[in-house]
Amino acid sequence: PLRPGGLRLTLGILSMDSKLMRNGSKPDGGDELLSLHRKRRARRCGLACFVLLAFLAYPAYRAGRFAMALRRGLAYMEEERTKTTECLSLNGHALLWYRINDVVMGGHSQSTISKTADGALTFSGNISLVDGGFATASTVDQPLGGAGITGLQISATTDGQLYQLTLKTSSSVWEPTWQANFPAASLVAGERATFDLPLSSFRASRMGKPVPHASLDPSHILSIGVSLALVDAAGAPNPRLHAGPFRLLLHSVAAITEAAAGAEEEAAAGADAAAATAAKAKAATAAEEAAPAEEEAPAAAAGPPAKVVLAAFDGSAPARAWRVTDDPVMGGASHS
């Protein structure tokens, strides 16, 4: 209508309509103009309807695909939960392990779970980075938590890749899960490492996306697991992941409680006190033995004060009691 021809056509049609309404007659060429106008309007309406349907159909198509994928994924998870391997225990509960791979979202990674002769869990397989990139081993839901739990102690042997420990507090797939990266001590391939993972190191995520401001209640823990994935616990790319074979040995998992932490502190304090008492006794004995010799020795000339040797490793000074204190006391992963 904004073009000159379209404007003339519109004005002509309006003029003809008005004449038709006045006397019921049709001017010369009126039928052709009305027919042309109606055809153009029909084409425009058809095009508008097509665009509207396409606009509405694409989200519906995406939603349908998501619903179908979710249905297949839930069916896959239910099937895998029936294939369990009993291995290890936590808080007095035997753990039943099953696998969940990226097959749940159309990926191609594979994994197996088995139990070694000495009771360790073997989680191994092959990671594919096509249409996915993760493999997990999780335990069947059961009450594993407790109000006094402050962390978990893990003993594991890895192949040098960066694994994660996972926690679930709900059976719903819509609720967040929790992940914490294994520390640097676990990145030495083939070497068994024992380390603590405080609950404060776990991060929440839902379907691979971080969930900020979530709070982990240790009394609601239902399941634990281990995972090897494209991203780490913070959602950043995993720098120690490669496509191909992987293997993890999980030797033990134990809950760290406030009572246990207090007992360790008391034991350490007792050891310190015992060491200090022994050192004082040795120092007193050495002083008594050295006293006669000091009385018989002539007075030394005035000069700078003599140095006091606090410790020596050649037997020339009183023995000292030494002990190791590493940063696991505050959640770290150093060993010495």
Side-chain angles (χ1 to χ4, degrees), residues 4-69:
L7 181 58
R8 286 195 298 270
L9 176 62
T10 304
L11 292 176
I13 292 173
L14 292 176
S15 175
M16 285 187 298
D17 289 342
S18 63
K19 290 178 181 180
L20 287 172
M21 286 187 293
R22 283 199 304 269
N23 52 29
S25 62
K26 299 180 181 178
D28 294 339
D31 289 335
E32 291 79 2
L33 290 174
L34 282 174
S35 177
L36 180 61
H37 173 68
R38 287 169 182 165
K39 288 180 179 179
R40 289 185 176 180
R41 184 170 60 182
R43 285 197 297 267
R44 290 170 183 167
C45 290
L47 180 60
C49 291
F50 175 78
V51 172
L52 180 61
L53 288 175
F55 180 77
L56 296 176
Y58 182 70
Y61 168 74
R62 292 292 301 272
R65 287 195 60 183
F66 175 77
M68 292 176 61

XYZ file of all heavy atoms in Angstrom, residues 4-69:
505
model
N 3.284 3.700 -4.895
C 2.267 4.476 -5.637
C 1.214 3.595 -6.261
O 0.012 3.870 -6.183
C 3.092 5.216 -6.689
C 4.449 5.330 -6.083
C 4.654 4.082 -5.293
N 1.657 2.469 -6.901
C 0.669 1.585 -7.519
C -0.258 0.965 -6.495
O -1.474 0.881 -6.682
N 0.348 0.544 -5.374
C -0.476 -0.049 -4.334
C -1.441 0.945 -3.730
O -2.584 0.630 -3.383
N -0.955 2.204 -3.586
C -1.838 3.234 -3.035
C -3.007 3.499 -3.974
O -4.167 3.618 -3.541
C -1.039 4.519 -2.806
C -1.816 5.698 -2.209
C -2.421 5.311 -0.864
C -0.901 6.901 -2.061
N -2.731 3.581 -5.305
C -3.812 3.800 -6.267
C -4.795 2.641 -6.258
O -6.015 2.829 -6.346
C -3.224 3.991 -7.666
C -2.545 5.350 -7.866
C -2.331 5.611 -9.345
N -1.434 4.616 -9.957
C -0.118 4.765 -10.013
N 0.468 5.837 -9.473
N 0.628 3.842 -10.575
N -4.253 1.413 -6.164
C -5.135 0.258 -6.136
C -6.028 0.288 -4.908
O -7.234 0.032 -4.977
C -4.297 -1.025 -6.153
C -5.066 -2.354 -6.027
C -6.023 -2.510 -7.203
C -4.100 -3.517 -5.938
N -5.447 0.612 -3.764
C -6.237 0.665 -2.536
C -7.309 1.733 -2.623
O -8.473 1.513 -2.241
C -5.313 0.942 -1.342
O -4.303 -0.064 -1.308
C -6.090 0.896 -0.040
N -6.940 2.925 -3.118
C -7.928 4.009 -3.238
C -9.019 3.627 -4.230
O -10.202 3.931 -4.033
C -7.232 5.295 -3.686
C -6.273 5.913 -2.648
C -5.576 7.130 -3.239
C -7.023 6.302 -1.393
N -8.655 2.946 -5.306
C -9.651 2.524 -6.285
C -10.627 1.536 -5.699
O -11.837 1.614 -5.929
N -10.095 0.585 -4.923
C -10.970 -0.420 -4.301
C -11.916 0.240 -3.317
O -13.111 -0.055 -3.260
C -10.132 -1.510 -3.632
C -9.406 -2.327 -4.695
C -10.996 -2.419 -2.770
C -8.411 -3.323 -4.145
N -11.379 1.158 -2.519
C -12.232 1.864 -1.569
C -13.309 2.657 -2.302
O -14.459 2.725 -1.866
C -11.379 2.790 -0.693
C -10.425 2.086 0.280
C -9.576 3.128 1.010
C -11.195 1.251 1.290
N -12.928 3.297 -3.425
C -13.910 4.073 -4.195
C -14.990 3.158 -4.755
O -16.179 3.468 -4.714
C -13.202 4.835 -5.322
O -14.146 5.498 -6.132
N -14.567 1.987 -5.254
C -15.547 1.051 -5.804
C -16.451 0.511 -4.718
O -17.665 0.376 -4.891
C -14.832 -0.111 -6.496
C -14.218 0.249 -7.847
S -13.569 -1.195 -8.673
C -12.345 -1.686 -7.505
N -15.881 0.211 -3.561
C -16.702 -0.282 -2.463
C -17.760 0.728 -2.084
O -18.916 0.384 -1.814
C -15.822 -0.620 -1.256
C -14.985 -1.857 -1.513
O -15.320 -2.612 -2.442
O -14.002 -2.057 -0.765
N -17.344 1.994 -2.046
C -18.317 3.022 -1.666
C -19.413 3.139 -2.729
O -20.595 3.307 -2.406
C -17.607 4.358 -1.458
O -17.023 4.803 -2.667
N -19.058 3.070 -4.012
C -20.069 3.145 -5.064
C -20.995 1.945 -5.014
O -22.216 2.058 -5.200
C -19.393 3.227 -6.424
C -18.687 4.554 -6.681
C -18.006 4.534 -8.039
C -17.274 5.861 -8.285
N -16.604 5.871 -9.606
N -20.415 0.760 -4.759
C -21.240 -0.436 -4.684
C -22.225 -0.354 -3.538
O -23.378 -0.803 -3.643
C -20.357 -1.678 -4.513
C -19.570 -2.108 -5.763
C -18.598 -3.222 -5.396
C -20.507 -2.553 -6.867
N -21.733 0.183 -2.412
C -22.641 0.292 -1.286
C -23.740 1.318 -1.545
O -24.842 1.216 -1.027
C -21.840 0.677 -0.020
C -21.015 -0.476 0.537
S -20.264 -0.082 2.102
C -19.110 1.166 1.601
N -23.451 2.355 -2.399
C -24.457 3.398 -2.652
C -25.528 2.917 -3.617
O -26.722 3.088 -3.383
C -23.789 4.651 -3.201
C -23.070 5.466 -2.117
C -22.837 6.886 -2.607
N -22.096 6.918 -3.855
C -20.785 6.990 -3.961
N -20.045 6.994 -2.872
N -20.196 7.028 -5.145
N -25.120 2.290 -4.709
C -26.132 1.962 -5.718
C -26.114 0.493 -6.132
O -26.872 0.091 -7.005
C -25.948 2.831 -6.960
C -24.507 2.768 -7.484
O -23.856 1.757 -7.290
N -24.070 3.833 -8.139
N -25.253 -0.292 -5.525
C -25.234 -1.721 -5.814
C -24.690 -2.063 -7.168
O -24.740 -3.215 -7.592
N -24.173 -1.103 -7.942
C -23.613 -1.369 -9.261
C -22.105 -1.473 -9.189
O -21.489 -1.023 -8.231
C -24.002 -0.252 -10.241
O -23.475 0.980 -9.801
N -21.488 -2.054 -10.212
C -20.040 -2.232 -10.271
C -19.481 -1.422 -11.415
O -19.974 -1.514 -12.540
C -19.675 -3.699 -10.503
C -20.168 -4.617 -9.385
C -19.773 -6.054 -9.686
C -20.272 -6.979 -8.590
N -19.940 -8.380 -8.872
N -18.465 -0.607 -11.182
C -17.859 0.141 -12.264
C -17.074 -0.778 -13.166
O -16.816 -1.944 -12.836
C -16.955 1.142 -11.535
C -16.592 0.438 -10.274
C -17.804 -0.351 -9.895
N -16.687 -0.237 -14.313
C -15.914 -1.027 -15.269
C -14.615 -1.483 -14.636
O -13.864 -0.672 -14.071
C -15.625 -0.203 -16.531
C -16.901 0.117 -17.295
O -17.890 -0.624 -17.066
O -16.899 1.083 -18.074
N -14.261 -2.769 -14.734
C -13.007 -3.304 -14.173
C -13.056 -3.544 -12.684
O -12.047 -3.870 -12.089
N -14.197 -3.343 -12.050
C -14.253 -3.498 -10.580
C -14.010 -4.916 -10.132
O -13.345 -5.168 -9.135
N -14.561 -5.883 -10.882
C -14.367 -7.287 -10.490
C -12.900 -7.680 -10.530
O -12.396 -8.372 -9.651
C -15.161 -8.190 -11.438
C -16.664 -8.076 -11.194
O -17.022 -7.707 -10.054
O -17.433 -8.356 -12.119
N -12.185 -7.227 -11.564
C -10.768 -7.577 -11.668
C -9.952 -6.970 -10.531
O -9.052 -7.605 -9.967
C -10.218 -7.109 -13.023
C -10.749 -7.863 -14.225
C -12.140 -7.410 -14.625
O -12.654 -6.464 -13.964
O -12.705 -7.992 -15.554
N -10.258 -5.713 -10.209
C -9.512 -5.071 -9.114
C -9.783 -5.748 -7.779
O -8.875 -5.966 -6.969
C -9.867 -3.586 -9.037
C -9.351 -2.709 -10.180
C -9.910 -1.296 -10.056
C -7.834 -2.672 -10.154
N -11.048 -6.068 -7.535
C -11.373 -6.742 -6.274
C -10.706 -8.118 -6.207
O -10.162 -8.525 -5.172
C -12.896 -6.891 -6.152
C -13.665 -5.638 -5.728
C -15.157 -5.893 -5.798
C -13.261 -5.221 -4.329
N -10.718 -8.817 -7.314
C -10.092 -10.140 -7.338
C -8.592 -10.054 -7.102
O -8.016 -10.831 -6.344
C -10.381 -10.800 -8.689
O -9.729 -12.066 -8.772
N -7.943 -9.088 -7.741
C -6.504 -8.898 -7.550
C -6.189 -8.528 -6.112
O -5.230 -9.031 -5.510
C -6.002 -7.824 -8.516
C -4.505 -7.496 -8.435
C -3.668 -8.738 -8.758
C -4.162 -6.351 -9.385
N -6.967 -7.651 -5.557
C -6.742 -7.235 -4.166
C -6.893 -8.417 -3.210
O -6.094 -8.603 -2.283
C -7.720 -6.120 -3.811
C -7.686 -5.752 -2.356
N -6.610 -5.139 -1.770
C -8.616 -5.932 -1.374
C -6.856 -4.937 -0.491
N -8.081 -5.405 -0.232
N -7.945 -9.210 -3.447
C -8.177 -10.346 -2.561
C -7.057 -11.393 -2.678
O -6.650 -11.995 -1.692
C -9.521 -10.978 -2.900
C -10.708 -10.124 -2.427
C -11.994 -10.621 -3.005
N -13.109 -9.776 -2.573
C -14.320 -9.785 -3.130
N -14.542 -10.605 -4.162
N -15.282 -8.998 -2.676
N -6.560 -11.598 -3.875
C -5.461 -12.544 -4.055
C -4.207 -12.083 -3.335
O -3.509 -12.866 -2.663
C -5.162 -12.724 -5.538
C -6.234 -13.507 -6.283
C -5.875 -13.654 -7.751
C -6.936 -14.456 -8.495
N -6.608 -14.583 -9.933
N -3.897 -10.772 -3.457
C -2.712 -10.261 -2.764
C -2.881 -10.366 -1.250
O -1.960 -10.720 -0.525
C -2.466 -8.815 -3.176
C -1.979 -8.671 -4.606
C -1.638 -7.230 -4.916
N -1.075 -7.098 -6.255
C -0.684 -5.944 -6.779
N -0.789 -4.823 -6.076
N -0.179 -5.911 -7.999
N -4.082 -10.026 -0.788
C -4.312 -10.102 0.655
C -4.224 -11.543 1.134
O -3.690 -11.828 2.215
C -5.678 -9.514 0.978
C -5.977 -9.461 2.486
C -7.217 -8.674 2.774
N -8.372 -9.297 2.101
C -9.609 -8.780 2.156
N -9.817 -7.634 2.803
N -10.607 -9.373 1.532
N -4.721 -12.484 0.325
C -4.635 -13.896 0.701
C -3.181 -14.365 0.759
O -2.791 -15.105 1.668
C -5.433 -14.745 -0.287
N -2.359 -13.926 -0.217
C -0.947 -14.307 -0.198
C -0.244 -13.746 1.035
O 0.555 -14.422 1.679
C -0.249 -13.824 -1.472
C -0.590 -14.649 -2.708
C 0.427 -14.407 -3.816
N 0.415 -13.032 -4.262
C -0.323 -12.590 -5.283
N -1.139 -13.426 -5.913
N -0.259 -11.325 -5.658
N -0.546 -12.475 1.349
C 0.086 -11.868 2.530
C -0.349 -12.560 3.812
O 0.463 -12.801 4.714
C -0.254 -10.379 2.582
C 0.416 -9.568 1.489
C -0.141 -8.172 1.424
N 0.448 -7.410 0.325
C -0.033 -6.256 -0.107
N -1.115 -5.742 0.453
N 0.559 -5.624 -1.112
N -1.626 -12.892 3.907
C -2.099 -13.592 5.097
C -1.454 -14.985 5.201
O -1.083 -15.433 6.287
C -3.621 -13.726 5.053
S -4.493 -12.162 5.292
N -1.341 -15.644 4.036
C -0.700 -16.961 4.056
C 0.749 -16.885 4.499
O 1.225 -17.716 5.285
N 1.471 -15.873 4.002
C 2.864 -15.703 4.401
C 2.977 -15.396 5.883
O 3.846 -15.932 6.586
C 3.506 -14.587 3.569
C 4.972 -14.279 3.876
C 5.840 -15.512 3.630
C 5.464 -13.096 3.041
N 2.105 -14.526 6.387
C 2.134 -14.189 7.810
C 1.834 -15.408 8.669
O 2.483 -15.641 9.703
C 1.124 -13.080 8.100
N 0.861 -16.219 8.241
C 0.541 -17.431 8.992
C 1.713 -18.412 8.988
O 2.017 -19.057 10.000
C -0.704 -18.092 8.407
S -2.225 -17.151 8.671
N 2.401 -18.515 7.839
C 3.550 -19.411 7.749
C 4.659 -18.976 8.697
O 5.257 -19.792 9.407
C 4.055 -19.450 6.313
C 5.309 -20.260 6.144
C 5.257 -21.643 6.102
C 6.550 -19.637 6.043
C 6.408 -22.398 5.958
C 7.696 -20.382 5.907
C 7.629 -21.768 5.862
N 4.944 -17.652 8.701
C 5.992 -17.135 9.601
C 5.611 -17.385 11.054
O 6.437 -17.783 11.884
C 6.231 -15.643 9.331
C 7.170 -15.052 10.380
C 6.806 -15.447 7.934
N 4.346 -17.151 11.392
C 3.904 -17.353 12.771
C 4.012 -18.819 13.172
O 4.480 -19.141 14.275
C 2.466 -16.861 12.916
C 1.835 -16.993 14.316
C 2.636 -16.182 15.319
C 0.384 -16.555 14.303
N 3.590 -19.702 12.275
C 3.697 -21.127 12.592
C 5.142 -21.564 12.752
O 5.474 -22.358 13.638
C 3.013 -21.944 11.488
C 1.483 -21.888 11.455
C 0.958 -22.633 10.238
C 0.899 -22.471 12.732
N 6.017 -21.050 11.882
C 7.445 -21.396 11.994
C 8.020 -20.877 13.308
O 8.814 -21.559 13.971
C 8.203 -20.823 10.802
N 7.619 -19.667 13.681
C 8.112 -19.078 14.922
C 7.678 -19.907 16.127
O 8.432 -20.073 17.097
C 7.604 -17.645 15.047
C 8.051 -16.942 16.287
C 9.336 -16.446 16.408
C 7.179 -16.785 17.354
C 9.749 -15.798 17.560
C 7.586 -16.142 18.506
C 8.871 -15.645 18.610
N 6.450 -20.402 16.092
C 5.955 -21.203 17.206
C 6.410 -22.653 17.123
O 6.582 -23.316 18.151
C 4.414 -21.164 17.227
C 3.784 -19.793 17.479
C 2.275 -19.899 17.380
C 4.207 -19.238 18.829
N 6.617 -23.155 15.913
C 6.958 -24.563 15.758
C 8.389 -24.866 16.197
O 8.651 -25.948 16.744
C 6.768 -24.992 14.305
N 9.341 -23.948 15.995
C 10.734 -24.239 16.343
C 10.915 -24.468 17.848
O 11.522 -25.474 18.249
C 11.644 -23.121 15.849
C 13.105 -23.380 16.129
C 13.796 -24.369 15.443
C 13.786 -22.648 17.098
C 15.123 -24.631 15.701
C 15.116 -22.895 17.358
C 15.788 -23.888 16.662
O 17.102 -24.139 16.937
N 10.394 -23.552 18.712
C 10.507 -23.863 20.148
C 9.804 -25.167 20.528
O 10.284 -25.906 21.385
C 9.840 -22.646 20.811
C 9.947 -21.555 19.817
C 9.827 -22.221 18.480
N 8.649 -25.419 19.874
C 7.960 -26.671 20.170
C 8.806 -27.870 19.743
O 8.857 -28.892 20.437
C 6.608 -26.697 19.462
N 9.493 -27.735 18.601
C 10.372 -28.801 18.134
C 11.524 -29.036 19.109
O 11.842 -30.181 19.460
C 10.898 -28.447 16.752
C 12.035 -29.307 16.259
C 11.814 -30.612 15.828
C 13.341 -28.802 16.229
C 12.859 -31.401 15.377
C 14.385 -29.592 15.783
C 14.141 -30.885 15.353
O 15.181 -31.659 14.919
N 12.120 -27.924 19.561
C 13.222 -28.043 20.536
C 12.737 -28.664 21.835
O 13.407 -29.511 22.426
C 13.830 -26.666 20.795
C 14.579 -26.065 19.616
C 15.842 -26.854 19.314
N 16.742 -26.887 20.446
C 17.675 -25.975 20.701
N 17.834 -24.946 19.862
N 18.463 -26.067 21.737
N 11.578 -28.219 22.309
C 11.035 -28.775 23.546
C 10.728 -30.256 23.390
O 10.956 -31.056 24.305
C 9.776 -28.002 23.947
N 10.217 -30.639 22.229
C 9.937 -32.045 21.990
C 11.191 -32.894 21.985
O 11.223 -33.994 22.560
N 12.237 -32.387 21.353
C 13.504 -33.125 21.334
C 14.073 -33.263 22.740
O 14.591 -34.316 23.124
C 14.515 -32.419 20.432
C 14.230 -32.552 18.952
C 15.441 -32.164 18.127
N 16.591 -33.010 18.430
C 17.785 -32.841 17.885
N 17.993 -31.858 17.016
N 18.785 -33.643 18.190
N 14.002 -32.177 23.524
C 14.503 -32.234 24.901
C 13.712 -33.247 25.719
O 14.286 -34.021 26.492
C 14.401 -30.845 25.543
C 14.791 -30.825 27.003
C 16.115 -30.854 27.376
C 13.811 -30.801 27.987
C 16.476 -30.851 28.724
C 14.160 -30.801 29.320
C 15.495 -30.821 29.693
N 12.382 -33.252 25.553
C 11.555 -34.192 26.305
C 11.892 -35.636 25.935
O 11.980 -36.510 26.802
C 10.077 -33.902 26.046
N 12.104 -35.882 24.640
C 12.456 -37.236 24.213
C 13.819 -37.650 24.748
O 14.008 -38.780 25.218
C 12.428 -37.315 22.696
C 11.043 -37.173 22.076
S 11.084 -37.157 20.261
C 11.787 -38.764 19.926
N 14.793 -36.717 24.691
C 16.135 -37.030 25.214
C 16.088 -37.268 26.713
O 16.754 -38.168 27.236
C 17.096 -35.896 24.877
